[in-house]
Amino acid sequence: MQVITLQEVQQALTYLVSKPDYLLRCAVNATKLRFGVPMDAVTWLCGRLAKGKLPDDLSLVSVPPGVRFSATFQIMGTAVFVSAVASVETVALSAESLRIHVRIRELQIKPPSDSPMTAMLMMMDLTKPGDMLAFLPFRPSIVLSASGDEFVLDLLQVPKLKNSSLAKRLVGALSEVLAVRELTTEDDLIVVGLGASPSGIVSALARLRGA
């Protein structure tokens, strides 16, 4: 199935032409191995990849150095509005994991006023969302640890990736030649800063071949 249409590509090019300041920032950042993506583009791409499975009111807003996300989710048959600011502390790639250290702040959870969840939330400390996982009957496998406002995630524990030898080879190969120095926001951009290790190219190719 086609994810991006020709018309959408043309719209993207029109957007770039209308933003010469963005193109200049990209050129300057590229010399430092820093790459920025407009927040609108990230929101659009998430919607396309999720194929209509995301909440209709999903919003992603840059709040440097993090991103404020908000949306209404159906939880146990109840519409619950959730909002929080997420910022990435570190990203670490290896042959077996893709770990992300995230902080979640300014968490808001708003169920309908007559919902039994309202009384339960009043007893919780929303400034420490990591501690709230203790109230769940299970912890998602992607979450390696959670305490206070800190979460350590391993994206390779996502079910579709966990058993994928290709995904592990790709991440392992990237870990040989690239390091993620930063994943942050600036103005209306999500910025990724990379560090390169050309000496690891041979090892990276070996991992891709499965050696």
Side-chain angles (χ1 to χ4, degrees), residues 5-162:
T5 66
L6 177 59
Q7 181 181 3
E8 289 164 341
V9 172
Q10 293 172 336
Q11 291 173 343
L13 292 174
T14 301
Y15 173 86
L16 292 176
V17 171
S18 68
K19 300 285 185 178
D21 56 327
Y22 169 69
L23 294 176
L24 178 60
R25 289 166 66 186
C26 285
V28 173
N29 282 331
T31 63
K32 305 174 184 177
L33 286 182
R34 299 178 83 242
F35 305 93
V37 181
M39 192 65 65
D40 288 344
V42 174
T43 303
W44 173 84
L45 185 59
C46 287
R48 295 291 291 180
L49 294 178
K51 299 177 182 178
K53 296 180 181 179
L54 294 178
D56 293 336
D57 62 345
L58 175 67
S59 172
L60 299 177
V61 179
S62 174
V63 184
V67 174
R68 184 186 301 280
F69 67 88
S70 61
T72 300
F73 298 91
Q74 291 294 324
I75 302 177
M76 296 184 290
T78 301
V80 180
F81 177 80
V82 179
S83 174
V85 175
S87 56
V88 175
E89 301 279 314
T90 59
V91 178
L93 287 73
S94 72
E96 298 297 329
S97 67
L98 202 175
R99 295 194 179 192
I100 302 180
H101 181 184
V102 182
R103 287 188 183 272
I104 303 294
R105 299 187 175 95
E106 301 180 28
L107 175 63
Q108 299 180 50
I109 304 177
K110 298 180 179 179
S113 58
D114 58 348
S115 170
M117 295 177 65
T118 302
M120 180 179 68
L121 288 169
M122 291 178 64
M123 297 184 292
M124 297 181 178
D125 184 356
L126 297 186
T127 65
K128 299 179 179 179
D131 298 344
M132 293 172 60
L133 286 184
F135 291 91
L136 297 180
F138 65 92
R139 186 167 75 184
S141 59
I142 190 176
V143 181
L144 299 184
S145 65
S147 177
D149 65 354
E150 299 183 48
F151 292 77
V152 178
L153 314 176
D154 182 2
L155 298 188
L156 281 186
Q157 294 303 310
V158 173
K160 289 186 177 181
L161 300 179
K162 185 174 183 179

